[in-house]
Amino acid sequence: MLKGGIVINKWPDIDVPAEEDLVKPLNELSYGQLIDEGSQDRKHLFYVCLTFLVPLLGLKGLDLLFFRRKRKEAAAVEEENIQE
């Protein structure tokens, strides 16, 4: 969609707004508003980081709770065996 020689919005063929949706002037419709690409990029980056960091932190928590405790217990048992 062009407005005054400026690309306002782009859609794939399937998502092009229907003629029935364009009932008001473009200034009043969401289709005619400029998209802030910077804020969308930051939002997408946040979601991607969240998608990877939450499971990573969960695994790190499991490591701290279970596996390191088992390693400490095994080291303590081994140390007792050495002292005997």
Side-chain angles (χ1 to χ4, degrees), residues 56 65 77:
L56 182 64
L65 288 176
V77 168

Side-chain angles (χ1 to χ4, degrees), residues 52-64:
F52 287 104
L53 287 177
V54 168
L56 182 64
L57 291 174
L59 290 173
K60 185 64 175 173
L62 287 174
D63 180 45
L64 289 172

Side-chain angles (χ1 to χ4, degrees), residues 1-64:
M1 176 180 288
L2 293 173
K3 180 179 175 185
I6 299 172
V7 176
I8 300 296
N9 212 337
K10 297 187 285 185
W11 301 276
D13 292 341
I14 278 184
D15 294 335
V16 173
E19 190 175 338
E20 296 85 32
D21 294 338
L22 303 173
V23 294
K24 296 179 183 177
L26 283 179
N27 295 339
E28 298 175 15
L29 293 173
S30 63
Y31 300 120
Q33 305 303 317
L34 284 173
I35 296 173
D36 185 11
E37 293 290 332
S39 69
Q40 281 190 342
D41 288 344
R42 283 189 295 275
K43 183 172 68 173
H44 291 145
L45 180 65
F46 173 74
Y47 289 139
V48 168
C49 289
L50 191 65
T51 301
F52 287 104
L53 287 177
V54 168
L56 182 64
L57 291 174
L59 290 173
K60 185 64 175 173
L62 287 174
D63 180 45
L64 289 172

